[in-house]
Amino acid sequence: MTPIKRQEIISAYVFAAPWLIGFLVFLAGPMLGAFVLALYEWNGISTMKWRGLGNFARAFGDFDFWQSLRVTSSFVFSALPARVVVALALALLVNRIRTNQNLFSTIIFIPVVIPGVALAILFARVLNPEVGLMNRFLELFGIIGPGWLFSPQWALPGLGLMFLWQSGGAMILYIIGLEAIPGELLEAAAIDGAGAWRRFLRITLPLLTPIILFNLIVGVIGNFQYFAPVFVMTQGGPNKATLFFVYNVYRTAFQYFEFGYASALTVVLFFLIALMTFGMLRSSRAWVFYRGAA
Amino acid sequence: MAATLSGARSRHAVGQAGTYLVVVAIVLAVLIPLFWMVSASLKTQNEVYDFAWLPRVPQWHNYVVGLTTFQFGRYFINTILVTGINVIAGGIVASWTAFALARLEFPGRNLIFALVLGTMMLPFAAYMIPSFVLFRWLGWIDTYTVLTVPFFLAVPGFFVFLIRQYYMTIPREFDDSAKIDGCNYFKIYWYLLLPLSRPALTTVGIYIFLANWEDLIRPVLFINSKEMRTVSVGLALLSESTEQAPEHHLMMAVSVIFIIVPIIIFLMFQRYFRQMGEGGLDTVSIK
């Protein structure tokens, strides 16, 4: 090996060392630890008791575990696609406007940078059945608003509304995507007699599918980490209607002190996310259109 | 022909006006709750439970009282300290790793790059329990260390990736001529790539700021004492006990201060948010 080559390799490891150490100690280590803890019964203090796969068997018959999966996946399958649609619609609308485009998209983006806890506090007020903005607004149309966070049926839709209020981040991505579509392409289609709807379905939408995929992947991972709003607004209630996955894990570990069982749940989380990310990337071959790839 | 053209034009004008109206309605849907929150922060304790749009007399001292009564002054100092350390140290660690990945040939480079990408899919929740056990064993509970060192050393892979992508756009000929002039890799990093990659570093800095400013789960798990709480924890715990503590107006005042900081940062650095979005899209298409 030449001295120059050796110097390059040494330099590389010096530059990469801090992150590598951080990765090993604070990420890979604890992740492995979760796999080990998952096989034990442990309250965090006394000696650990070997349970083998017992914790996973227990999850199988645990109502709260299934409930947390139900809540999280119903959010993933409703609020997340709704956000994709809303964000796309917002982008199309803002894109059509001639003046003040930047001003409007800036304002619509603001909710995205609001800290989770403050957002939760704000929406707990907005959704308050008596004095909240939301039900006052519905009253204008003669609708008597529901109890939102106090109602087992309406708590989750309430959180969904808050989720949609933050669609601005995804909107910016779609605006970027729309601007990247060559105007000649749409003009050519128009000359060939394609109407606005057809141009959208056949040109605009396919060219935006990479962004939709990105939104979905980030969104699924995000929903499986949904914590602050539940912690502040509902604590999983009422009647476990908002018992999101991570909140259930948090409760199991740090309120009931079942470190082993809670770790088993995080192992399930690990595989669920890996599986879904893989699934989405895999399915993307069928529906995501990469320019230049076809 | 002329008739149809003007017809199309007026239809177009109607369409523009309609679109404009819808967008303005959406903008209002964003601004009204924020306005309502600011208004609530200026109300008295009795008024705050009324719907009223405006306080009878704006109670500006709510802001001072809010910061002093519940130690929120201290909480803000904690949040600022933790966020500041993580922005600077996290940015440095991310840019070092990115430099090795973008510019140096070494065995294991592809593996490290795969790890960087892989951690992007790994949520903190998946390893939070052993993390707690580790930090308790290290005696780090209730320290600034626990909120900073694990974050900036294992800085999220996305930030490494973003800076690496930026380095890749800087022509390698620059490095080569620097090398001929006798620069080693540390000099190339420090005098060449670092100054040239300022946009990417700023983007990463902003996002580390936002993530740490609002972080709740880490301080909830790793902080016990009142003095070490961050604003997120302080507000969250205060709001949970609203029944006993009817100081909703003060909580609103603190929330407004807490919200305004990231909004100002966002307005100042708007163009970088776009870059972040583009970087995010890059990660998907790399697969």
Side-chain angles (χ1 to χ4, degrees), chain B residues 151-186:
Chain B
F151 178 86
F152 70 69
L153 278 186
V155 71
F158 182 50
F159 302 134
V160 177
F161 174 78
L162 212 68
I163 301 177
R164 178 213 179 245
Q165 294 306 88
Y166 199 85
Y167 285 161
M168 299 293 268
T169 65
I170 300 170
R172 268 194 190 252
E173 288 78 54
F174 289 12
D175 302 28
D176 294 337
S177 54
K179 259 185 246 172
I180 291 164
D181 289 343
C183 282
N184 61 26
Y185 290 108
F186 297 91

mmCIF file of all heavy atoms in Angstrom, chain B residues 151-186:
data_model
loop_
_atom_site.group_PDB
_atom_site.id
_atom_site.type_symbol
_atom_site.label_atom_id
_atom_site.label_comp_id
_atom_site.label_asym_id
_atom_site.label_seq_id
_atom_site.Cartn_x
_atom_site.Cartn_y
_atom_site.Cartn_z
ATOM 1 N N PHE B 151 -27.415 12.433 20.700
ATOM 2 C CA PHE B 151 -27.995 12.985 19.477
ATOM 3 C C PHE B 151 -26.914 13.359 18.477
ATOM 4 O O PHE B 151 -26.953 12.949 17.321
ATOM 5 C CB PHE B 151 -28.874 14.205 19.770
ATOM 6 C CG PHE B 151 -29.439 14.808 18.512
ATOM 7 C CD1 PHE B 151 -30.623 14.328 17.974
ATOM 8 C CD2 PHE B 151 -28.762 15.810 17.824
ATOM 9 C CE1 PHE B 151 -31.128 14.838 16.794
ATOM 10 C CE2 PHE B 151 -29.261 16.327 16.633
ATOM 11 C CZ PHE B 151 -30.448 15.836 16.126
ATOM 12 N N PHE B 152 -25.913 14.145 18.927
ATOM 13 C CA PHE B 152 -24.998 14.666 17.899
ATOM 14 C C PHE B 152 -23.982 13.630 17.434
ATOM 15 O O PHE B 152 -23.527 13.693 16.303
ATOM 16 C CB PHE B 152 -24.353 15.994 18.320
ATOM 17 C CG PHE B 152 -23.348 15.972 19.424
ATOM 18 C CD1 PHE B 152 -22.101 15.387 19.259
ATOM 19 C CD2 PHE B 152 -23.629 16.608 20.635
ATOM 20 C CE1 PHE B 152 -21.169 15.407 20.278
ATOM 21 C CE2 PHE B 152 -22.696 16.622 21.665
ATOM 22 C CZ PHE B 152 -21.467 16.010 21.483
ATOM 23 N N LEU B 153 -23.639 12.673 18.298
ATOM 24 C CA LEU B 153 -22.723 11.630 17.811
ATOM 25 C C LEU B 153 -23.432 10.718 16.808
ATOM 26 O O LEU B 153 -22.905 10.412 15.743
ATOM 27 C CB LEU B 153 -22.154 10.813 18.973
ATOM 28 C CG LEU B 153 -20.958 11.419 19.709
ATOM 29 C CD1 LEU B 153 -20.422 10.430 20.728
ATOM 30 C CD2 LEU B 153 -19.853 11.833 18.745
ATOM 31 N N ALA B 154 -24.631 10.284 17.150
ATOM 32 C CA ALA B 154 -25.384 9.436 16.226
ATOM 33 C C ALA B 154 -26.353 10.319 15.439
ATOM 34 O O ALA B 154 -27.542 10.050 15.366
ATOM 35 C CB ALA B 154 -26.132 8.358 16.989
ATOM 36 N N VAL B 155 -25.842 11.396 14.881
ATOM 37 C CA VAL B 155 -26.707 12.375 14.203
ATOM 38 C C VAL B 155 -27.501 11.670 13.092
ATOM 39 O O VAL B 155 -26.973 10.796 12.391
ATOM 40 C CB VAL B 155 -25.867 13.555 13.670
ATOM 41 C CG1 VAL B 155 -25.004 13.147 12.502
ATOM 42 C CG2 VAL B 155 -26.729 14.745 13.321
ATOM 43 N N PRO B 156 -28.815 11.975 12.967
ATOM 44 C CA PRO B 156 -29.652 11.257 12.005
ATOM 45 C C PRO B 156 -29.026 11.163 10.610
ATOM 46 O O PRO B 156 -28.527 12.157 10.083
ATOM 47 C CB PRO B 156 -30.927 12.088 11.973
ATOM 48 C CG PRO B 156 -30.997 12.677 13.336
ATOM 49 C CD PRO B 156 -29.582 12.934 13.745
ATOM 50 N N GLY B 157 -29.055 9.983 10.050
ATOM 51 C CA GLY B 157 -28.415 9.722 8.766
ATOM 52 C C GLY B 157 -28.849 10.661 7.654
ATOM 53 O O GLY B 157 -28.071 10.955 6.747
ATOM 54 N N PHE B 158 -30.070 11.146 7.745
ATOM 55 C CA PHE B 158 -30.568 12.022 6.694
ATOM 56 C C PHE B 158 -29.677 13.252 6.520
ATOM 57 O O PHE B 158 -29.433 13.715 5.408
ATOM 58 C CB PHE B 158 -32.004 12.439 7.001
ATOM 59 C CG PHE B 158 -32.612 13.299 5.938
ATOM 60 C CD1 PHE B 158 -32.548 12.918 4.609
ATOM 61 C CD2 PHE B 158 -33.242 14.485 6.261
ATOM 62 C CE1 PHE B 158 -33.105 13.708 3.614
ATOM 63 C CE2 PHE B 158 -33.793 15.279 5.268
ATOM 64 C CZ PHE B 158 -33.724 14.888 3.949
ATOM 65 N N PHE B 159 -29.174 13.777 7.652
ATOM 66 C CA PHE B 159 -28.354 14.983 7.578
ATOM 67 C C PHE B 159 -26.994 14.681 6.955
ATOM 68 O O PHE B 159 -26.456 15.470 6.180
ATOM 69 C CB PHE B 159 -28.206 15.601 8.970
ATOM 70 C CG PHE B 159 -29.524 15.937 9.594
ATOM 71 C CD1 PHE B 159 -29.808 15.618 10.905
ATOM 72 C CD2 PHE B 159 -30.515 16.564 8.845
ATOM 73 C CE1 PHE B 159 -31.034 15.923 11.471
ATOM 74 C CE2 PHE B 159 -31.746 16.876 9.394
ATOM 75 C CZ PHE B 159 -31.995 16.553 10.712
ATOM 76 N N VAL B 160 -26.436 13.515 7.298
ATOM 77 C CA VAL B 160 -25.186 13.085 6.666
ATOM 78 C C VAL B 160 -25.414 12.983 5.155
ATOM 79 O O VAL B 160 -24.629 13.484 4.345
ATOM 80 C CB VAL B 160 -24.740 11.720 7.224
ATOM 81 C CG1 VAL B 160 -23.474 11.249 6.519
ATOM 82 C CG2 VAL B 160 -24.522 11.802 8.728
ATOM 83 N N PHE B 161 -26.501 12.342 4.813
ATOM 84 C CA PHE B 161 -26.830 12.129 3.402
ATOM 85 C C PHE B 161 -26.958 13.448 2.647
ATOM 86 O O PHE B 161 -26.414 13.622 1.555
ATOM 87 C CB PHE B 161 -28.143 11.342 3.311
ATOM 88 C CG PHE B 161 -28.648 11.178 1.919
ATOM 89 C CD1 PHE B 161 -28.083 10.230 1.077
ATOM 90 C CD2 PHE B 161 -29.667 11.974 1.435
ATOM 91 C CE1 PHE B 161 -28.537 10.083 -0.225
ATOM 92 C CE2 PHE B 161 -30.131 11.829 0.141
ATOM 93 C CZ PHE B 161 -29.561 10.879 -0.686
ATOM 94 N N LEU B 162 -27.673 14.395 3.258
ATOM 95 C CA LEU B 162 -27.922 15.686 2.612
ATOM 96 C C LEU B 162 -26.605 16.405 2.304
ATOM 97 O O LEU B 162 -26.412 16.921 1.209
ATOM 98 C CB LEU B 162 -28.773 16.544 3.544
ATOM 99 C CG LEU B 162 -29.741 17.502 2.891
ATOM 100 C CD1 LEU B 162 -30.851 16.754 2.188
ATOM 101 C CD2 LEU B 162 -30.337 18.411 3.952
ATOM 102 N N ILE B 163 -25.695 16.420 3.282
ATOM 103 C CA ILE B 163 -24.412 17.108 3.074
ATOM 104 C C ILE B 163 -23.561 16.342 2.063
ATOM 105 O O ILE B 163 -22.915 16.932 1.207
ATOM 106 C CB ILE B 163 -23.655 17.292 4.412
ATOM 107 C CG1 ILE B 163 -24.526 18.100 5.371
ATOM 108 C CG2 ILE B 163 -22.330 18.009 4.192
ATOM 109 C CD1 ILE B 163 -23.926 18.276 6.745
ATOM 110 N N ARG B 164 -23.591 15.013 2.152
ATOM 111 C CA ARG B 164 -22.833 14.210 1.191
ATOM 112 C C ARG B 164 -23.264 14.521 -0.238
ATOM 113 O O ARG B 164 -22.439 14.720 -1.126
ATOM 114 C CB ARG B 164 -23.036 12.726 1.472
ATOM 115 C CG ARG B 164 -22.310 11.841 0.464
ATOM 116 C CD ARG B 164 -23.093 10.569 0.224
ATOM 117 N NE ARG B 164 -22.427 9.710 -0.750
ATOM 118 C CZ ARG B 164 -22.955 9.428 -1.934
ATOM 119 N NH1 ARG B 164 -24.121 9.943 -2.297
ATOM 120 N NH2 ARG B 164 -22.332 8.639 -2.765
ATOM 121 N N GLN B 165 -24.585 14.573 -0.451
ATOM 122 C CA GLN B 165 -25.086 14.873 -1.790
ATOM 123 C C GLN B 165 -24.565 16.221 -2.271
ATOM 124 O O GLN B 165 -24.248 16.399 -3.428
ATOM 125 C CB GLN B 165 -26.619 14.890 -1.808
ATOM 126 C CG GLN B 165 -27.287 13.565 -1.530
ATOM 127 C CD GLN B 165 -26.816 12.466 -2.441
ATOM 128 O OE1 GLN B 165 -25.833 11.800 -2.141
ATOM 129 N NE2 GLN B 165 -27.509 12.271 -3.550
ATOM 130 N N TYR B 166 -24.485 17.169 -1.342
ATOM 131 C CA TYR B 166 -24.012 18.491 -1.720
ATOM 132 C C TYR B 166 -22.531 18.458 -2.089
ATOM 133 O O TYR B 166 -22.114 19.048 -3.088
ATOM 134 C CB TYR B 166 -24.267 19.486 -0.594
ATOM 135 C CG TYR B 166 -24.222 20.909 -1.082
ATOM 136 C CD1 TYR B 166 -25.347 21.506 -1.642
ATOM 137 C CD2 TYR B 166 -23.051 21.652 -1.023
ATOM 138 C CE1 TYR B 166 -25.311 22.797 -2.114
ATOM 139 C CE2 TYR B 166 -22.998 22.951 -1.499
ATOM 140 C CZ TYR B 166 -24.128 23.516 -2.045
ATOM 141 O OH TYR B 166 -24.093 24.790 -2.531
ATOM 142 N N TYR B 167 -21.733 17.756 -1.276
ATOM 143 C CA TYR B 167 -20.301 17.623 -1.580
ATOM 144 C C TYR B 167 -20.093 17.019 -2.968
ATOM 145 O O TYR B 167 -19.161 17.367 -3.678
ATOM 146 C CB TYR B 167 -19.615 16.725 -0.550
ATOM 147 C CG TYR B 167 -19.383 17.352 0.812
ATOM 148 C CD1 TYR B 167 -19.146 16.550 1.923
ATOM 149 C CD2 TYR B 167 -19.356 18.728 0.989
ATOM 150 C CE1 TYR B 167 -18.922 17.097 3.178
ATOM 151 C CE2 TYR B 167 -19.137 19.276 2.231
ATOM 152 C CZ TYR B 167 -18.923 18.464 3.322
ATOM 153 O OH TYR B 167 -18.693 18.994 4.548
ATOM 154 N N MET B 168 -20.965 16.069 -3.320
ATOM 155 C CA MET B 168 -20.816 15.392 -4.611
ATOM 156 C C MET B 168 -20.935 16.360 -5.777
ATOM 157 O O MET B 168 -20.440 16.096 -6.862
ATOM 158 C CB MET B 168 -21.865 14.283 -4.771
ATOM 159 C CG MET B 168 -21.786 13.184 -3.730
ATOM 160 S SD MET B 168 -20.310 12.179 -3.818
ATOM 161 C CE MET B 168 -20.874 10.863 -4.873
ATOM 162 N N THR B 169 -21.640 17.487 -5.546
ATOM 163 C CA THR B 169 -21.812 18.437 -6.643
ATOM 164 C C THR B 169 -20.599 19.361 -6.797
ATOM 165 O O THR B 169 -20.499 20.092 -7.768
ATOM 166 C CB THR B 169 -23.056 19.326 -6.429
ATOM 167 O OG1 THR B 169 -22.832 20.124 -5.258
ATOM 168 C CG2 THR B 169 -24.307 18.495 -6.257
ATOM 169 N N ILE B 170 -19.691 19.351 -5.813
ATOM 170 C CA ILE B 170 -18.504 20.206 -5.901
ATOM 171 C C ILE B 170 -17.430 19.460 -6.695
ATOM 172 O O ILE B 170 -17.059 18.344 -6.331
ATOM 173 C CB ILE B 170 -17.987 20.563 -4.491
ATOM 174 C CG1 ILE B 170 -19.075 21.313 -3.721
ATOM 175 C CG2 ILE B 170 -16.706 21.398 -4.587
ATOM 176 C CD1 ILE B 170 -18.777 21.500 -2.257
ATOM 177 N N PRO B 171 -16.936 20.060 -7.794
ATOM 178 C CA PRO B 171 -16.018 19.341 -8.684
ATOM 179 C C PRO B 171 -14.769 18.835 -7.949
ATOM 180 O O PRO B 171 -14.197 19.547 -7.127
ATOM 181 C CB PRO B 171 -15.615 20.403 -9.715
ATOM 182 C CG PRO B 171 -16.654 21.446 -9.629
ATOM 183 C CD PRO B 171 -17.229 21.406 -8.260
ATOM 184 N N ARG B 172 -14.374 17.619 -8.274
ATOM 185 C CA ARG B 172 -13.217 17.002 -7.624
ATOM 186 C C ARG B 172 -11.910 17.666 -8.039
ATOM 187 O O ARG B 172 -10.905 17.555 -7.332
ATOM 188 C CB ARG B 172 -13.151 15.530 -7.981
ATOM 189 C CG ARG B 172 -13.872 14.679 -6.976
ATOM 190 C CD ARG B 172 -13.503 13.228 -7.183
ATOM 191 N NE ARG B 172 -14.370 12.397 -6.377
ATOM 192 C CZ ARG B 172 -13.953 11.767 -5.293
ATOM 193 N NH1 ARG B 172 -12.704 11.871 -4.922
ATOM 194 N NH2 ARG B 172 -14.774 11.030 -4.610
ATOM 195 N N GLU B 173 -11.921 18.347 -9.177
ATOM 196 C CA GLU B 173 -10.687 19.001 -9.638
ATOM 197 C C GLU B 173 -10.192 19.980 -8.576
ATOM 198 O O GLU B 173 -8.994 20.191 -8.423
ATOM 199 C CB GLU B 173 -10.919 19.759 -10.952
ATOM 200 C CG GLU B 173 -11.113 18.867 -12.173
ATOM 201 C CD GLU B 173 -12.506 18.275 -12.240
ATOM 202 O OE1 GLU B 173 -13.486 19.036 -12.180
ATOM 203 O OE2 GLU B 173 -12.623 17.032 -12.334
ATOM 204 N N PHE B 174 -11.136 20.572 -7.826
ATOM 205 C CA PHE B 174 -10.747 21.497 -6.757
ATOM 206 C C PHE B 174 -9.824 20.777 -5.774
ATOM 207 O O PHE B 174 -8.779 21.280 -5.397
ATOM 208 C CB PHE B 174 -11.983 22.002 -6.001
ATOM 209 C CG PHE B 174 -12.835 22.960 -6.799
ATOM 210 C CD1 PHE B 174 -12.648 23.131 -8.156
ATOM 211 C CD2 PHE B 174 -13.820 23.699 -6.164
ATOM 212 C CE1 PHE B 174 -13.441 24.019 -8.878
ATOM 213 C CE2 PHE B 174 -14.613 24.579 -6.874
ATOM 214 C CZ PHE B 174 -14.431 24.741 -8.233
ATOM 215 N N ASP B 175 -10.258 19.572 -5.352
ATOM 216 C CA ASP B 175 -9.459 18.796 -4.391
ATOM 217 C C ASP B 175 -8.083 18.509 -4.969
ATOM 218 O O ASP B 175 -7.068 18.663 -4.298
ATOM 219 C CB ASP B 175 -10.079 17.421 -4.099
ATOM 220 C CG ASP B 175 -11.475 17.514 -3.575
ATOM 221 O OD1 ASP B 175 -12.164 18.498 -3.909
ATOM 222 O OD2 ASP B 175 -11.876 16.605 -2.843
ATOM 223 N N ASP B 176 -8.095 18.078 -6.246
ATOM 224 C CA ASP B 176 -6.842 17.648 -6.854
ATOM 225 C C ASP B 176 -5.827 18.776 -6.889
ATOM 226 O O ASP B 176 -4.661 18.585 -6.536
ATOM 227 C CB ASP B 176 -7.097 17.113 -8.264
ATOM 228 C CG ASP B 176 -7.936 15.839 -8.220
ATOM 229 O OD1 ASP B 176 -7.918 15.177 -7.161
ATOM 230 O OD2 ASP B 176 -8.615 15.527 -9.217
ATOM 231 N N SER B 177 -6.283 19.968 -7.278
ATOM 232 C CA SER B 177 -5.319 21.059 -7.345
ATOM 233 C C SER B 177 -4.866 21.438 -5.940
ATOM 234 O O SER B 177 -3.710 21.819 -5.746
ATOM 235 C CB SER B 177 -5.912 22.263 -8.075
ATOM 236 O OG SER B 177 -7.122 22.643 -7.497
ATOM 237 N N ALA B 178 -5.758 21.310 -4.955
ATOM 238 C CA ALA B 178 -5.353 21.599 -3.577
ATOM 239 C C ALA B 178 -4.301 20.592 -3.120
ATOM 240 O O ALA B 178 -3.347 20.932 -2.437
ATOM 241 C CB ALA B 178 -6.567 21.558 -2.651
ATOM 242 N N LYS B 179 -4.523 19.317 -3.556
ATOM 243 C CA LYS B 179 -3.580 18.266 -3.157
ATOM 244 C C LYS B 179 -2.201 18.552 -3.742
ATOM 245 O O LYS B 179 -1.185 18.367 -3.084
ATOM 246 C CB LYS B 179 -4.085 16.905 -3.636
ATOM 247 C CG LYS B 179 -4.747 16.093 -2.522
ATOM 248 C CD LYS B 179 -5.107 14.709 -3.015
ATOM 249 C CE LYS B 179 -6.595 14.521 -3.042
ATOM 250 N NZ LYS B 179 -7.017 13.281 -3.678
ATOM 251 N N ILE B 180 -2.198 18.985 -5.010
ATOM 252 C CA ILE B 180 -0.912 19.295 -5.649
ATOM 253 C C ILE B 180 -0.217 20.417 -4.889
ATOM 254 O O ILE B 180 0.991 20.414 -4.727
ATOM 255 C CB ILE B 180 -1.144 19.669 -7.137
ATOM 256 C CG1 ILE B 180 -1.589 18.412 -7.889
ATOM 257 C CG2 ILE B 180 0.110 20.266 -7.752
ATOM 258 C CD1 ILE B 180 -2.218 18.685 -9.227
ATOM 259 N N ASP B 181 -1.038 21.337 -4.355
ATOM 260 C CA ASP B 181 -0.446 22.424 -3.579
ATOM 261 C C ASP B 181 -0.019 21.963 -2.189
ATOM 262 O O ASP B 181 0.416 22.783 -1.376
ATOM 263 C CB ASP B 181 -1.448 23.576 -3.431
ATOM 264 C CG ASP B 181 -1.653 24.294 -4.753
ATOM 265 O OD1 ASP B 181 -0.803 24.113 -5.641
ATOM 266 O OD2 ASP B 181 -2.656 25.011 -4.897
ATOM 267 N N GLY B 182 -0.190 20.685 -1.909
ATOM 268 C CA GLY B 182 0.305 20.157 -0.638
ATOM 269 C C GLY B 182 -0.699 20.113 0.490
ATOM 270 O O GLY B 182 -0.334 19.968 1.649
ATOM 271 N N CYS B 183 -1.997 20.261 0.162
ATOM 272 C CA CYS B 183 -3.010 20.202 1.210
ATOM 273 C C CYS B 183 -3.287 18.749 1.594
ATOM 274 O O CYS B 183 -3.404 17.887 0.728
ATOM 275 C CB CYS B 183 -4.315 20.820 0.729
ATOM 276 S SG CYS B 183 -4.294 22.612 0.748
ATOM 277 N N ASN B 184 -3.421 18.474 2.897
ATOM 278 C CA ASN B 184 -3.896 17.158 3.282
ATOM 279 C C ASN B 184 -5.433 17.180 3.346
ATOM 280 O O ASN B 184 -6.061 18.220 3.101
ATOM 281 C CB ASN B 184 -3.274 16.715 4.610
ATOM 282 C CG ASN B 184 -3.644 17.656 5.732
ATOM 283 O OD1 ASN B 184 -4.686 18.321 5.685
ATOM 284 N ND2 ASN B 184 -2.783 17.752 6.736
ATOM 285 N N TYR B 185 -6.037 16.028 3.691
ATOM 286 C CA TYR B 185 -7.492 15.951 3.640
ATOM 287 C C TYR B 185 -8.171 16.884 4.627
ATOM 288 O O TYR B 185 -9.252 17.388 4.371
ATOM 289 C CB TYR B 185 -7.943 14.511 3.861
ATOM 290 C CG TYR B 185 -7.592 13.635 2.697
ATOM 291 C CD1 TYR B 185 -6.589 12.682 2.780
ATOM 292 C CD2 TYR B 185 -8.259 13.805 1.483
ATOM 293 C CE1 TYR B 185 -6.254 11.902 1.695
ATOM 294 C CE2 TYR B 185 -7.922 13.040 0.382
ATOM 295 C CZ TYR B 185 -6.927 12.080 0.495
ATOM 296 O OH TYR B 185 -6.599 11.329 -0.591
ATOM 297 N N PHE B 186 -7.500 17.116 5.771
ATOM 298 C CA PHE B 186 -8.125 17.987 6.762
ATOM 299 C C PHE B 186 -8.194 19.413 6.239
ATOM 300 O O PHE B 186 -9.167 20.119 6.451
ATOM 301 C CB PHE B 186 -7.344 17.906 8.077
ATOM 302 C CG PHE B 186 -7.389 16.527 8.652
ATOM 303 C CD1 PHE B 186 -6.409 15.589 8.344
ATOM 304 C CD2 PHE B 186 -8.462 16.136 9.454
ATOM 305 C CE1 PHE B 186 -6.480 14.303 8.843
ATOM 306 C CE2 PHE B 186 -8.534 14.852 9.954
ATOM 307 C CZ PHE B 186 -7.543 13.926 9.645
#
